[in-house]
Amino acid sequence: QLGPDWDAKADRYEYRNFFSYINGKKKDTALKANQTKVITDSVPWAGISGKYFSLIVIPSVPAQQILYSAAQPNADTVQDGQLFFSRPVITGNRVTDVYRIYLGPCSENILSTYNIPSKNNYNYDNLRIDTVAVSSGIWRPLEVLLKWLLQFFYKLIPNWGVSIILVTILIKVIFFPLTKKSSESTQQMQKMQPKIQELQAKYKGKPQKLNEEMAKLYKEAGYNPLSGCLPLLIQLPILFAMYRLFNNYFEFRGAMFIPGWIPDLSVGDSIYIFPPTIPLIGGSAVRLLPIIYVASQLLFTKITQTASANAAGGNSMKLMMYGMPLFFFFMFYSAPAGLLLYWTVSNFLQLIQQMFINKIMHAKRVEMGLAEETKKPVLKKRKK
């Protein structure tokens, strides 16, 4: 699964990433078609990585110049990922060059053995090729934490699908207070809608005055406009880290969750294979998990929508609420089953949380006299 040729359009979740180890840090380089890049720093090792496997070249003497190339011959969609090492011109009668090449799983557990001399046959000490298996940048700490949690639950129940579900539950429990606060803020915003509409009509064409009056209204009501979106912004980094992790975590490759349905968490699920290609999908496999995911998203939208929100947004709001899940259906139809499993379970948990929060807020409104308590109809007996 790691060759020089790869087709970006055939598998949107596959990639070829160039990397090198410079000044004690791994440097990633992504090239577009027919691009090249020359590295002139001292490089103790460099290589090319795909989704689950890596090729790493380790010269006995650090290279002083390497070349990355993403050639696309014949103007087709297939690219060739190429890596060239340059050495100084030979001035003596004989020179021996030694290059050791690792070609195998992009797994932190395997690659970390080359950091301890007693665990590898080449006496490598702190080679740090294990950094290839960990994303660089701001998402790295979150990715490390998520890996630890997944491995912790896997030790308790040796099934990576169950591990994903348990991590999802844990994340939802941790962020429940923020979710509750966001729902309360949304409810408060809906209560202020009549006053907001009055101000918009009164100060139409006077944006500066409208902003001042709106600020006064928010202050009097004790409402913070950022409180509704703050929980989502806090959870976005986790979503990005999850996407990066679930799309290339080697342990998910070949990991079975449910026999006959999800035999491999690293690829899309399949319940039936059609001989021809399915229109608009680009494949021949009938997948159940994307359907469940979209159904959970639509159900969540239906449960959480309000009449006031529909009236305010009109058709554009409805198109956004119901159109986006369908868009995601086609976009993520062939996504790794592990990633879709996380999103689907997250949707159902979010739905349960929202129903629980709605019940709490309704009880508060009844207590404050802002809503009438729902009463069951009483059937009176007729006298004969």
Side-chain angles (χ1 to χ4, degrees), residues 86-261:
S86 298
R87 64 166 329 285
V89 176
I90 297 174
T91 56
N93 294 328
R94 180 178 178 178
V95 173
T96 300
D97 292 328
V98 178
Y99 294 87
R100 291 194 174 96
I101 299 175
Y102 173 89
L103 179 59
C106 191
S107 169
E108 192 175 3
N109 292 332
I110 297 174
L111 295 173
S112 61
T113 59
Y114 298 97
N115 294 331
I116 304 172
S118 61
K119 290 187 176 182
N120 63 81
N121 298 327
Y122 310 103
N123 204 37
Y124 281 132
D125 184 15
N126 201 32
L127 189 62
R128 297 318 311 272
I129 60 174
D130 57 315
T131 56
V132 174
V134 182
S135 63
S136 56
I138 59 176
W139 311 128
R140 178 171 180 172
L142 277 176
E143 188 177 330
V144 171
L145 175 61
L146 290 172
K147 277 187 179 181
W148 185 88
L149 290 173
L150 285 167
Q151 292 168 358
F152 172 78
F153 286 120
Y154 182 79
K155 290 177 182 178
L156 298 178
I157 304 175
N159 184 303
W160 285 112
V162 175
S163 182
I164 290 172
I165 293 174
L166 292 176
V167 168
T168 308
I169 293 174
L170 179 62
I171 291 174
K172 286 299 179 184
V173 170
I174 292 174
F175 283 99
F176 177 74
L178 286 175
T179 304
K180 182 172 177 290
K181 187 174 181 62
S182 176
S183 297
E184 291 173 346
S185 176
T186 301
Q187 186 187 65
Q188 188 178 9
M189 183 64 175
Q190 291 172 2
K191 288 167 57 179
M192 292 190 299
Q193 277 300 315
K195 293 183 179 179
I196 291 175
Q197 291 174 1
E198 287 180 12
L199 291 175
Q200 289 173 342
K202 184 176 181 179
Y203 298 105
K204 186 177 181 181
K206 300 178 181 179
Q208 186 175 353
K209 183 64 177 178
L210 176 61
N211 290 335
E212 292 176 1
E213 294 299 321
M214 290 281 284
K216 289 180 182 179
L217 176 63
Y218 290 155
K219 188 175 181 180
E220 291 173 359
Y223 173 76
N224 184 356
L226 296 178
S227 59
C229 60
L230 186 59
L232 178 62
L233 294 176
I234 293 175
Q235 294 182 64
L236 272 179
I238 294 180
L239 179 63
F240 291 143
M242 282 284 194
Y243 181 85
R244 170 68 172 82
L245 176 62
F246 287 173
N247 193 40
N248 64 359
Y249 191 37
F250 183 79
E251 279 69 11
F252 289 164
R253 182 180 177 271
M256 181 178 292
F257 176 41
I258 299 176
W261 176 27

Side-chain angles (χ1 to χ4, degrees), residues 310-382:
N310 285 339
N315 293 330
S316 60
M317 180 63 71
K318 290 182 179 179
L319 180 63
M320 179 67 69
M321 289 192 299
Y322 294 107
M324 288 303 292
L326 295 177
F327 170 76
F328 287 140
F329 171 79
F330 292 102
M331 183 175 180
F332 298 115
Y333 185 79
S334 297
L339 184 62
L340 274 176
L341 179 63
Y342 163 71
W343 282 340
T344 303
V345 173
S346 180
N347 278 349
F348 280 112
L349 291 174
Q350 184 75 17
L351 178 62
I352 295 171
Q353 281 187 347
Q354 192 62 48
M355 294 172 67
F356 179 70
I357 292 169
N358 288 348
K359 188 175 181 180
I360 293 175
M361 291 192 298
H362 178 73
K364 285 185 177 179
R365 290 198 302 271
V366 170
E367 185 180 345
M368 296 171 63
L370 298 176
E372 293 185 0
E373 199 167 1
T374 304
K375 296 181 180 179
K376 295 182 180 180
V378 179
L379 297 177
K380 296 183 179 180
K381 293 183 178 179
R382 292 182 178 180

